[in-house]
Amino acid sequence: MQDPARLQATGSEPLTLEQEYEMQLSWTQDPNKRTFIVLDKEMVDGDFIQGHPHVEAMVGDVNIYMNDLDDSQMAEIEIMIAETKR
């Protein structure tokens, strides 16, 4: 992600494509992190099919961090929904 407005809105640092892939891999291997993609059903092209990526309908994500060593039931939740440019 390189767009300055998106970086500022998400509190992110600019990453190369290789760094993005490395981060994605680390998330899939970390047992204390989960991420879910948020779709807007109104933006799905054609029929909604479970398991298909529906990239056109992605509007955000939900990240869950289970980092409390004293309480395995405690988690931090981060919800990010993109705002449409007008």
Side-chain angles (χ1 to χ4, degrees), residues 9-74:
T10 61
S12 300
E13 297 292 324
L15 300 175
T16 65
L17 184 57
E18 182 177 329
Q19 290 170 318
E20 291 281 3
Y21 283 128
E22 288 171 4
M23 183 178 294
Q24 180 184 18
L25 181 61
S26 76
W27 270 77
T28 62
Q29 295 175 346
D30 190 330
N32 294 318
K33 296 179 184 173
R34 298 289 182 264
T35 191
F36 302 90
I37 303 301
V38 178
L39 303 178
D40 181 340
K41 288 174 34 176
E42 300 295 318
M43 296 174 65
V44 172
D45 288 337
D47 294 329
F48 180 81
I49 301 172
Q50 183 75 24
H52 286 226
H54 297 290
V55 176
E56 76 284 354
M58 291 181 184
V59 295
D61 62 20
V62 176
N63 297 311
I64 300 175
Y65 307 95
M66 297 162 283
N67 296 326
D68 190 326
L69 299 176
D70 297 324
D71 186 350
S72 64
Q73 300 297 309
M74 183 70 67

Side-chain angles (χ1 to χ4, degrees), residues 1 3-13:
M1 179 166 55
D3 179 46
R6 285 192 179 151
L7 290 169
Q8 182 178 8
T10 61
S12 300
E13 297 292 324

